[in-house]
Amino acid sequence: MRIETLETPRLLLRGFQPEDADFAIGMWNDAEIGRWLSDPRLEDIPDQAAYRKDIENLGEAIDCCHMVAVDKADGQRIGTCSFVPENNGRSYDIAYAVHPSQQCRGYGTEMVQALIDYARARGVGAVTIRIAQENAASNALARKVGAQVIASGSYTKGGTNEVIPDFLYELKL
């Protein structure tokens, strides 16, 4: 599902394109960078060619809006974000990742706030975010934008049996 490009003070959040695959895979599937994500580690993906093709086509997904955050000044990729409409569009579940070279600069907050503003402008009632309990920075970001923990649970890291405890945050809009 594609939407218009979203703009923040420093970023453009644009639709995912096939040429973004290497950037995304480099974050999501890296054992260290992607440790808090449900995506499998690269070494745990049996058919990497098929997986890469799936990633290249994320921009064409009909049930999820995948975006890449780029620096407005130089076009450098900063991170990725997405949202999935749920409950017949009454809520959005959002996700985000900031490349380690760009962390601790407020980019994650800008990305998340842009998704929240987009949802609010469309009359969405709430935004949810699932975050690994041990991911201190992401938990702090969720609280910073006003989200509150409404449940705890866990997810299994893709391609493994590793269970990661998480929190479900909600922000009523």
Side-chain angles (χ1 to χ4, degrees), residues 10-11 13 23-24 26-28 30 32-37 67-71 76-82 95-113 115 135 137-138 141:
R10 299 178 293 167
L11 302 173
L13 278 58
F23 176 74
M27 281 195 315
W28 302 342
D30 179 85
E32 181 59 25
I33 298 170
R35 72 185 176 276
W36 305 122
L37 304 176
M67 305 180 89
V68 173
V70 297
D71 186 292
Q76 179 181 353
R77 292 178 186 100
I78 302 297
T80 61
C81 58
S82 64
Y96 52 90
V98 177
H99 193 276
S101 67
Q102 302 299 326
Q103 291 177 352
C104 301
R105 299 179 185 182
Y107 290 126
T109 303
E110 280 188 49
M111 292 164 53
V112 169
Q113 193 61 58
L115 294 177
N135 186 342
S138 198
L141 190 160

Side-chain angles (χ1 to χ4, degrees), residues 7 11 13-14 21 31 41 59 73 77 108 122 128 159 162 165-166:
E7 187 171 348
L11 302 173
L13 278 58
R14 61 161 174 77
R41 292 180 287 263
R77 292 178 186 100
R122 273 131 198 89
T128 58
E162 180 184 3
D166 71 354

Side-chain angles (χ1 to χ4, degrees), residues 17-62:
Q17 301 169 356
E19 56 269 21
D20 296 320
D22 286 336
F23 176 74
I25 290 169
M27 281 195 315
W28 302 342
N29 307 110
D30 179 85
E32 181 59 25
I33 298 170
R35 72 185 176 276
W36 305 122
L37 304 176
S38 62
D39 302 278
R41 292 180 287 263
L42 200 53
E43 59 269 18
D44 295 325
I45 300 171
D47 186 347
Q48 292 186 15
Y51 180 79
R52 179 181 175 68
K53 186 138 187 88
D54 288 345
I55 298 300
E56 289 174 350
N57 292 319
L58 286 177
E60 304 307 317
I62 57 173

Side-chain angles (χ1 to χ4, degrees), residues 94 108-110 112-113 116 120 129 139-148 171:
I94 65 174
T109 303
E110 280 188 49
V112 169
Q113 193 61 58
I116 291 168
R120 184 177 284 123
I129 315 167
N139 280 284
L141 190 160
R143 290 188 304 273
K144 181 178 181 179
V145 299
Q148 297 180 348
L171 174 63

